[in-house]
Amino acid sequence: ILILPLDINFLINVEEIVLFFFFNGFGLIILKLYLLSKDFNNFTSPSLLFPNLKLLLTNINLAFNLFFIEDNLSRLSKFLIFFSASVSVLMASNWLRSYDKTAFEFPILIMFSTLGMALMVSANDLITLYLAIELQSLPLYVLATFNRDQLKSSEAGLKYFVLSALSSGLLLSGCSLIY
């Protein structure tokens, strides 16, 4: 019999998943329509440039046995992460069309890396932070070596992998010293 703890709050993750897919799906369409309209006067409002810091520090939720924290500051950070990921996929679309028309894995790798960044923002524990860092960095290894025809791309991916393996080991040894 599987017994789940009572303090698991699945609604936090449902909101995060909906926000994640909104910005990677419908957010791209909205941004594309907005950029085509060339109406940039209504975009800069003071509420977007200077958010109220008191609202960012209230309404704190904890989930998965205190491994994740969800507050307004993490929601704002996730909003910025998802927005920048959708803009980067939009900006890379012309290059992908000229590079390789069958490169379907590029947006998928960006989505997994973005998911790792979002989990990193909500991490409330060192183990969760480590897993989120690894989820964020593993797709970036593949993205660093995405241009397989060039030697510099393969070299960059290999150097990135070796340096991140070293830093990952140092992070784990530091986490073991804290625990």
Side-chain angles (χ1 to χ4, degrees):
I1 296 173
L2 181 65
I3 300 173
L4 294 175
L6 295 177
D7 59 349
I8 294 178
N9 189 356
F10 290 106
L11 293 177
I12 294 172
N13 292 331
V14 170
E15 292 173 2
E16 184 174 328
I17 290 169
V18 167
L19 185 66
F20 177 71
F21 283 114
F22 174 74
F23 274 104
N24 285 309
F26 298 114
L28 293 175
I29 296 168
I30 292 170
L31 185 65
K32 184 103 175 170
L33 291 174
Y34 177 74
L35 291 176
L36 289 176
S37 70
K38 304 281 190 211
D39 183 24
F40 295 107
N41 295 331
N42 296 330
F43 186 68
T44 56
S45 67
S47 63
L48 286 176
L49 295 177
F50 303 106
N52 191 355
L53 292 179
K54 183 179 178 184
L55 290 176
L56 294 178
L57 300 175
T58 58
N59 195 11
I60 296 173
N61 297 322
L62 298 170
F64 292 111
N65 204 12
L66 304 178
F67 284 129
F68 291 104
I69 188 167
E70 182 73 21
D71 57 350
N72 289 335
L73 183 61
S74 66
R75 286 186 193 112
L76 176 69
S77 301
K78 288 176 191 177
F79 175 79
L80 294 174
I81 287 168
F82 297 148
F83 181 75
S84 62
S86 62
V87 168
S88 67
V89 169
L90 269 178
M91 290 173 55
S93 64
N94 290 333
W95 177 77
L96 282 174
R97 273 189 232 118
S98 65
Y99 173 69
D100 188 10
K101 294 187 188 320
T102 62
F104 66 92
E105 65 268 10
F106 184 81
I108 296 170
L109 290 170
I110 294 286
M111 283 178 58
F112 278 119
S113 181
T114 306
L115 180 64
M117 291 177 208
L119 291 176
M120 206 181 320
V121 166
S122 292
N124 196 27
D125 193 72
L126 288 177
I127 300 300
T128 310
L129 180 68
Y130 174 73
L131 290 174
I133 288 173
E134 289 300 316
L135 181 63
Q136 183 257 339
S137 64
L138 286 174
L140 292 180
Y141 301 152
V142 180
L143 285 175
T145 60
F146 197 74
N147 196 356
R148 294 180 280 274
D149 298 335
Q150 291 186 356
L151 183 64
K152 289 185 179 183
S153 176
S154 300
E155 180 184 354
L158 186 62
K159 285 181 181 178
Y160 183 40
F161 176 73
V162 169
L163 286 175
S164 64
L166 177 68
S167 65
S168 177
L170 288 174
L171 178 68
L172 279 178
S173 67
C175 290
S176 68
L177 289 176
I178 289 175
Y179 283 122

